[in-house]
Amino acid sequence: MNGADNLQQEQAPAKRGELIAVCSAKGGIGRTVLAVNLAVALSKNNIQIALLDGDFQFGDVSLAMDLQPTFTIKDVAESMDAMDKHTAASYLIRHSSGVKVMAAPERPEQADLLAAPALGTVCDLLLAQHDYVLVDTEVGLKESTLLFVEKADQIFILTTLEMAAIKNTRLMLETLEALGLRHKVQLVVNRATMDSVIKATDVPDIVGIEHPYYVPNDFAIVAQSLNIGVPFVQNHGKTDIAKSIFKMAEQLISRREISLFKPKQPSFLNSLFHRTKGSTT
């Protein structure tokens, strides 16, 4: 490689993936299940996916993927002075799907050791080496979650057809609007086929968000998935619930490809050739 190649590499813009923050205003409505299965569904498209367990007190990503991490984000934060994107990669644990996981701390009290600047740096390091970084956040809008949603390219907010979930979701959306972040929001109506006096198609009007994703209710599949630590998009790919996640992944990738597409400008010589050719015919 010559000096010109080195200079070209130095001048090339740094690669940056997309950050997706998976959030909810109420616990127990499927946030971790969505984050894990969407990450695995995205990885099937031969792209680099990282999943950060952002529930630093009671994160369940490792459990949901049957992983026994050697390192956690606490270890990364403690070594931040010597951290770069290559060093950060050594703290990730690889799932059989190819998804690389940054695990939550082992103990709830260790969450207090994670300062906001370190979390922001971790996100940047992961984004430098992955096409998508998904963050399974804590419930609500705690300080760490606010950091993630501010850095996010897209914010996936889960709700269900339960009245409490819808009420809290609406309050969360109002808060994000006040913060100038609502334009990033994508609503996900989970358990959309469950029995309820509220219909899934009524939710967009109630909370004021159009074109949500709908994920059907399948308690048996989800419970089994969590109990054995195998994301259902891996071993139940033909079920309706898995198909809804695959559809979500396809739309995300299509949107990213459109945003990255820039028509190549014809070179001066190419333009001159076509102009000359056109004048001689």
Side-chain angles (χ1 to χ4, degrees):
M1 184 179 290
N2 58 36
D5 291 331
N6 286 329
L7 181 61
Q8 192 173 24
Q9 278 193 342
E10 289 174 6
Q11 292 177 342
K15 173 188 173 183
R16 184 191 185 277
E18 284 195 20
L19 182 65
I20 299 175
V22 183
C23 308
S24 69
K26 184 178 181 296
I29 62 175
R31 191 182 60 257
T32 298
V33 170
L34 174 66
V36 165
N37 282 277
L38 182 57
V40 174
L42 285 166
S43 72
K44 290 181 178 290
N45 294 274
N46 198 30
I47 56 178
Q48 296 297 310
I49 308 296
L51 175 57
L52 169 59
D53 193 340
D55 187 346
F56 299 132
Q57 287 192 316
F58 301 104
D60 286 328
V61 166
S62 295
L63 180 70
M65 303 179 84
D66 193 25
L67 297 174
Q68 289 78 42
T70 305
F71 300 106
T72 74
I73 193 170
K74 169 185 163 289
D75 300 301
V76 178
E78 290 175 344
S79 307
M80 194 53 66
D81 291 342
M83 195 65 57
D84 59 26
K85 64 182 182 180
H86 302 293
T87 310
S90 67
Y91 288 84
L92 297 167
I93 182 168
R94 186 182 179 90
H95 184 253
S96 61
S97 64
V99 174
K100 283 166 276 187
V101 175
M102 179 74 73
E106 294 177 348
R107 300 284 310 166
E109 64 270 18
Q110 294 173 347
D112 294 333
L113 304 176
L114 303 175
L119 296 179
T121 301
V122 169
C123 284
D124 292 336
L125 294 173
L126 294 178
L127 287 165
Q129 288 202 314
H130 299 88
D131 297 289
Y132 288 94
V133 176
L134 282 74
V135 182
D136 178 18
T137 68
E138 296 184 77
V139 175
L141 290 172
K142 297 179 182 177
E143 183 180 2
S144 61
T145 301
L146 284 172
L147 181 146
F148 292 131
V149 299
E150 286 174 357
K151 290 185 72 71
D153 297 281
Q154 296 188 63
I155 305 166
F156 279 29
I157 295 184
L158 264 76
T159 190
T160 62
L161 305 185
E162 301 168 77
M163 185 62 75
I166 293 173
K167 184 266 291 182
N168 290 355
T169 299
R170 185 166 181 169
L171 289 173
M172 176 179 269
L173 290 168
E174 289 172 357
T175 305
L176 291 175
E177 184 168 21
L179 295 171
L181 300 172
R182 186 161 170 151
H183 64 284
K184 299 181 182 181
V185 171
Q186 174 66 60
L187 182 68
V188 180
V189 181
N190 195 25
R191 305 171 190 161
T193 54
M194 66 182 285
D195 291 332
S196 173
V197 295
I198 302 170
K199 302 301 180 187
T201 51
D202 295 333
V203 176
D205 289 335
I206 296 172
V207 302
I209 290 284
E210 296 181 344
H211 310 301
Y213 290 116
Y214 294 101
V215 178
N217 188 39
D218 196 329
F219 177 81
I221 291 292
V222 171
Q224 182 195 51
S225 171
L226 289 172
N227 287 336
I228 65 175
V230 178
F232 56 73
V233 294
Q234 284 189 295
N235 61 349
H236 292 287
K238 294 184 178 180
T239 59
D240 288 340
I241 189 170
K243 288 177 182 177
S244 71
I245 304 298
F246 283 125
K247 180 180 179 181
M248 200 180 299
E250 289 169 8
Q251 291 184 5
L252 274 171
I253 292 169
S254 297
R255 193 177 307 163
R256 179 167 170 79
E257 288 174 347
I258 291 169
S259 68
L260 290 176
F261 176 73
K262 293 180 181 178
K264 290 184 72 174
Q265 297 296 324
S267 67
F268 172 75
L269 288 175
N270 202 26
S271 302
L272 186 62
F273 171 77
H274 283 295
R275 197 179 307 137
T276 303
K277 185 177 179 180
S279 64
T280 58
T281 54

